[in-house]
Amino acid sequence: MPRGEKSKYTDKQESKADHIAEGYEKRGVSDKEAERRAWATVNKDDGGGKKEGGSGRGKHTGHPAAHKGGKSGGKASASRSAASRSESAKKAAATRKRNAEHRAH
């Protein structure tokens, strides 16, 4: 398969790349560079094309680049009082306990 061939990408991956490229173009990046960056992002997210190859195995699509949790978190929590955070933690613990009991049945 020649470099740059897109036949193994799903329709969802192609539309994702188009959407990403549009965003770059709106910010003034050239068409060619926007497309290159968009496909690089799709590859980073999905690890390449997902259509079945010769082995007949499709691949699962995770979305690691779409989840940037932890980078900017904590600000909302830090601005709340200790009592408020404690109350939330107790409520969450009670919910987890209730859900665990529910699943056990």
Side-chain angles (χ1 to χ4, degrees), residues 4-92:
E5 158 111 50
K6 302 289 187 260
S7 66
K8 290 292 178 187
Y9 290 87
T10 63
D11 292 341
K12 184 175 181 179
Q13 287 175 309
E14 288 180 24
S15 65
K16 185 177 185 180
D18 290 343
H19 184 73
I20 293 167
E22 276 178 31
Y24 279 123
E25 288 166 12
K26 279 182 186 173
R27 285 181 269 168
V29 177
S30 72
D31 289 1
K32 193 172 181 181
E33 177 65 9
E35 188 174 348
R36 188 194 68 75
R37 289 184 190 183
W39 282 109
T41 304
V42 169
N43 284 334
K44 185 172 89 171
D45 279 359
D46 300 341
K50 295 295 177 196
K51 284 189 182 168
E52 294 173 0
S55 64
R57 293 184 184 91
K59 298 184 218 165
H60 173 68
T61 302
H63 303 288
H67 302 288
K68 292 185 174 182
K71 277 196 173 181
S72 59
K75 289 178 191 167
S77 179
S79 66
R80 292 170 57 197
S81 68
S84 173
R85 289 196 312 271
S86 178
E87 188 180 334
S88 289
K90 288 175 186 170
K91 185 177 177 184

